[in-house]
Amino acid sequence: MVKHCCWGDCRSDDRYRNADHMQDVFFIPFPKPKTQHEKCRLWVSLCGRKNWGVTNVNKHSYICSKHFFGGNGPTIDHPNPLPASGTAIDIKRAQRRARPYPRSRSLPASVIKKYF
């Protein structure tokens, strides 16, 4: 089974382990919801994904080591991932919504008046 990171908008995937951005990256499985429910809920909230909860966590849910303090995975001092906020996906969505004029084949009237 392919491992991919569930944290925010991360695109880490073990299919590309030879790529430059994947050097020294490893995957940490999510805490099990049945045995470590509170820790699992904390990790889900730190991931920053919308419409994704503890019920979505399964044996194929991982976070890559890049999202822990120091990039070395969980430690005794820092056992939880860093929080994801203002991820690139959220920024891209906001930029799409803030277009200066609606997407269409015609130009806005101000542009037409300026050039014609």
Side-chain angles (χ1 to χ4, degrees):
M1 188 70 185
V2 175
K3 295 178 185 176
H4 64 274
C5 186
C6 294
W7 187 90
D9 62 345
C10 182
R11 302 286 184 240
S12 294
D13 193 322
D14 72 346
R15 291 176 293 179
Y16 310 110
R17 66 184 74 128
N18 295 329
D20 291 337
H21 73 280
M22 291 295 295
Q23 296 301 317
D24 301 324
V25 174
F26 56 96
F27 293 89
I28 298 97
F30 258 77
K32 304 296 179 233
K34 289 183 179 178
T35 58
Q36 298 176 323
H37 186 74
E38 290 302 316
K39 187 173 182 178
C40 181
R41 198 167 61 157
L42 174 66
W43 280 35
V44 167
S45 67
L46 291 173
C47 281
R49 294 180 72 180
K50 296 181 188 216
N51 302 325
W52 200 71
V54 174
T55 56
N56 300 101
V57 175
N58 58 33
K59 64 181 180 180
H60 305 292
S61 300
Y62 296 92
I63 296 181
C64 70
S65 60
K66 294 190 237 180
H67 307 297
F68 288 85
F69 188 79
N72 297 323
T75 62
I76 293 172
D77 295 332
H78 303 283
N80 299 316
L82 300 171
S85 60
T87 61
I89 287 177
D90 295 335
I91 294 168
K92 287 178 186 176
R93 285 182 186 152
Q95 288 172 344
R96 267 189 274 150
R97 289 186 192 131
R99 286 193 175 112
Y101 53 89
R103 182 185 281 183
S104 67
R105 293 180 187 246
S106 62
L107 295 171
S110 59
V111 173
I112 293 171
K113 287 178 185 177
K114 185 175 180 181
Y115 292 106
F116 297 104

